[in-house]
Amino acid sequence: INKKEKVSIVGLNGAGKTTLVKLICRLYHPTSGKIYINGHDIFEYDYDSYMKSIATVFQDFKIFAFSVDENISCDSQNSNTERVMELIKDVGLDEKIKSLPKGIESMFGKAYDEEGVDMSGGEKQKIAIARALYKNASLIILDEPTSALDPLAEAEIYENFNDLVGDKTAIYISHRMSSSVFCDKILIIDGGRVKDFDTHKNLMKKTDSLYYKLFNSQAVNYSE
């Protein structure tokens, strides 16, 4: 994977997609083989420095009993409010935040504030995406980043995906094959092994490939 590339990881359930990105994040240690970044084993890098270079949104992301601002900036003292508001708009949450009594200072939940707010699963997912983008890491990993979004909100995220990520390298996993069209390359994993690694256009020429079958099995639902 080259710098600035947007790569989608595709495969059946249990193929090893999430395991792969968790290995990259050093949450697991490989039992065999090595992962290299810039020619160096990832475990050779200083841990804190390595973690600063990666921002992730996993399926089991957490929203904390802090303000909206703090959930995105992870900083109660030196939050860049302007940047937080910019990201809220980018992920399509500006109208929601404007409707809250205290705006970005609104607390999540009522544990510490009786006027605390709650949000839908999709809205919380957008907060998590904004948090990952706020970190300004050079590599962003999104594992099923839009699973809780409705189709229109999902389309909006993907249509703006390249602009949202900018010049960062991005790896993401999605079961919705239409999202892969926006990527530079698509990594196909089957049973823990790489089956293919190519562009959407080239993969669709391989009519006997797993990617072609997966893409068309979803596409048929939108055809008359």
Side-chain angles (χ1 to χ4, degrees):
I1 297 173
N2 297 312
K3 185 178 180 180
K4 299 184 181 181
E5 280 188 335
K6 313 296 183 279
V7 175
S8 174
I9 302 177
V10 170
L12 300 173
N13 287 338
K17 303 183 296 295
T18 297
T19 300
L20 176 58
V21 295
K22 287 188 174 180
L23 281 162
I24 292 171
C25 292
R26 287 173 57 167
L27 294 173
Y28 300 149
H29 200 295
T31 51
S32 64
K34 293 184 178 181
I35 301 168
Y36 293 93
I37 291 183
N38 294 332
H40 295 278
D41 184 334
I42 60 173
F43 287 92
E44 292 178 8
Y45 290 101
D46 172 76
Y47 180 80
D48 290 337
S49 174
Y50 189 83
M51 288 299 110
K52 286 179 181 177
S53 300
I54 300 177
T56 62
V57 180
F58 288 115
Q59 294 178 48
D60 55 349
F61 66 88
K62 301 297 180 188
I63 298 297
F64 303 97
F66 303 150
S67 69
V68 173
D69 187 345
E70 290 169 323
N71 265 281
I72 293 173
S73 68
C74 298
D75 191 336
S76 60
Q77 302 297 322
N78 301 299
S79 169
N80 183 340
T81 304
E82 188 175 327
R83 176 63 175 152
V84 169
M85 290 303 299
E86 184 180 298
L87 289 169
I88 283 171
K89 186 174 182 179
D90 287 343
V91 298
L93 269 183
D94 50 330
E95 291 301 319
K96 174 66 178 182
I97 301 304
K98 286 176 183 176
S99 72
L100 300 177
K102 299 179 181 178
I104 61 171
E105 296 304 320
S106 299
M107 296 286 285
F108 270 101
K110 301 186 184 296
Y112 304 111
D113 187 345
E114 290 185 359
E115 296 181 4
V117 300
D118 195 13
M119 291 188 183
S120 68
E123 289 166 341
K124 289 177 181 176
Q125 209 155 30
K126 287 181 176 182
I127 293 288
I129 292 171
R131 177 197 295 157
L133 294 168
Y134 184 92
K135 187 177 178 181
N136 202 28
S138 56
L139 171 62
I140 291 187
I141 296 175
L142 306 175
D143 186 356
E144 288 288 327
T146 58
S147 61
L149 301 184
D150 63 71
L152 288 175
E154 181 193 35
E156 185 181 5
I157 288 286
Y158 283 127
E159 283 169 11
N160 297 325
F161 186 71
N162 286 340
D163 290 332
L164 285 172
V165 177
D167 62 356
K168 305 176 194 305
T169 306
I171 301 172
Y172 75 99
I173 298 168
S174 178
H175 284 105
R176 292 172 183 168
M177 307 301 294
S178 58
S179 61
S180 298
V181 177
F182 296 92
C183 286
D184 297 305
K185 284 186 178 178
I186 301 155
L187 176 67
I188 315 301
I189 298 181
D190 188 13
R193 295 188 174 276
V194 173
K195 287 295 183 181
D196 224 325
F197 188 46
D198 212 332
T199 63
H200 168 77
K201 185 177 180 180
N202 288 339
L203 288 170
M204 289 303 287
K205 293 176 182 176
K206 304 174 184 180
T207 56
D208 61 340
S209 69
L210 175 62
Y211 181 79
Y212 182 88
K213 292 172 184 173
L214 288 172
F215 191 90
N216 280 293
S217 68
Q218 290 190 7
V220 71
N221 294 320
Y222 300 98
S223 302
E224 291 184 352

